[in-house]
Amino acid sequence: MNEQQRCGYIAIIGRPNVGKSTLLNGILGQKISITSPKPQTTRSQILGIKTVDSTQAIYIDTPGWHDNQKGAMNRYLNRLATSVIMDANVILFMITATQFTAEDEKVLSHLEKVSCPVILLINKVDTLKDKSRLLPFMEKMREKYDFAAMIPLSAKKKDNVVELQQTVSTLLPEGPHLFPEEQVTDKSVRFQIAELIREKVIQATEQELPYSTTVEIEHVQTKEKMMDISAIIWVEREGQKPIVIGKNGARLKKIGTAARKDIQILVKQKVFLRLWVKVKAHWTEDERTLNSTLPH
Ligand code: GDP
Ligand code: MG
């Protein structure tokens, strides 16, 4: 007899850099959400689907809320973040051991409106020298919100991540699975390729480029077991082009090599990658362009 199926949405929220994307990639065993030591690298909502036996957990990695309501991009992201927590079946609220910052407090304030169970994830416990600080910290956190559970973990070292998934599955509602068992994300391969390139751009340029850099895949063509990809890295100003290209094209070459390696793992074949850097003026300020360029 078939066990009763469970299926539901799990929103992963928390201030930038706590480790949300790292956790999602760890759960899926595949890089679908880009990570970096630089905040605000996740720009659209990423679905990560994990099906284990009768349970399908659909995780949503959100870019979170932004204080600055001025740009169309930030307004769009704030609306997105709010709708994600209102529709979730379970919320994972991630902070890091053992601090609770003003920014964490702001994220927590959004949870006043929700009615689903919220699990507090205390991440990066691997960095904790004095583990005895964890218990009093958890006591303090218990007073802040009626959490369904509190789980210390290390997303990077994958400590306690399986236990987290087990706790999540007990909280998901009964219902049929929404995606085929083998599907890992709702994003197309094209989108994932663009994200992998964007990740390398961010990693190679560190603090020099704003997070509004985008990547557009011009074409993808498979010929003789080789995938031929050409992509455009869009920057906002002419002056940002040399930042991406580097001296004699050295940086762009490094970006291309690193991206190609990851893309080959994703598509499981050899890749020939061509990258172009172009200027697209003020695209973040135009909400219509935004809606047409961001995947839904
Ligand atoms: P996000 O902005 O919340 O999605 O955070 P990311 O997943 O991009 O991670 C931000 C940074 O924290 C990256 O440099 C990660 O490698 C690092 N990180 C994430 N999880 C852990 C962890 O458990 N331990 C440690 N030491 N670092 C982590
Ligand atoms: Mg992220």
Side-chain angles (χ1 to χ4, degrees), residues 173-188:
E174 290 184 352
H177 294 179
L178 298 173
F179 295 93
E181 196 177 324
E182 65 286 351
Q183 191 168 339
V184 176
T185 178
D186 63 330
K187 295 288 179 283
S188 65

Side-chain angles (χ1 to χ4, degrees), residues 21 33-34 41-42 61:
S21 300
S33 187
I34 69 175
T41 43
T42 305
D61 186 6

Side-chain angles (χ1 to χ4, degrees), residues 131-147:
K131 299 268 189 275
S132 70
R133 278 166 57 194
L134 205 51
L135 227 58
F137 178 68
M138 287 167 80
E139 285 303 325
K140 226 175 69 193
M141 291 308 300
R142 199 188 305 279
E143 290 164 19
K144 292 203 183 280
Y145 194 89
D146 188 15
F147 295 110

Side-chain angles (χ1 to χ4, degrees), residues 154-195:
S154 168
K156 199 172 183 173
K157 301 245 149 72
K158 295 199 184 173
D159 282 343
N160 245 0
V161 172
V162 171
E163 290 77 359
L164 160 66
Q165 292 177 78
Q166 283 160 353
T167 307
V168 164
S169 69
T170 62
L171 295 170
L172 293 178
E174 290 184 352
H177 294 179
L178 298 173
F179 295 93
E181 196 177 324
E182 65 286 351
Q183 191 168 339
V184 176
T185 178
D186 63 330
K187 295 288 179 283
S188 65
V189 171
R190 241 183 139 86
F191 174 82
Q192 293 180 69
I193 291 170
E195 282 289 275

Side-chain angles (χ1 to χ4, degrees), residues 16-22 35-37 123-124 126-127 154-156:
N17 252 352
V18 288
K20 301 179 294 296
S21 300
T22 304
T35 64
S36 90
N123 192 28
K124 306 197 187 183
D126 57 291
T127 62
S154 168
K156 199 172 183 173

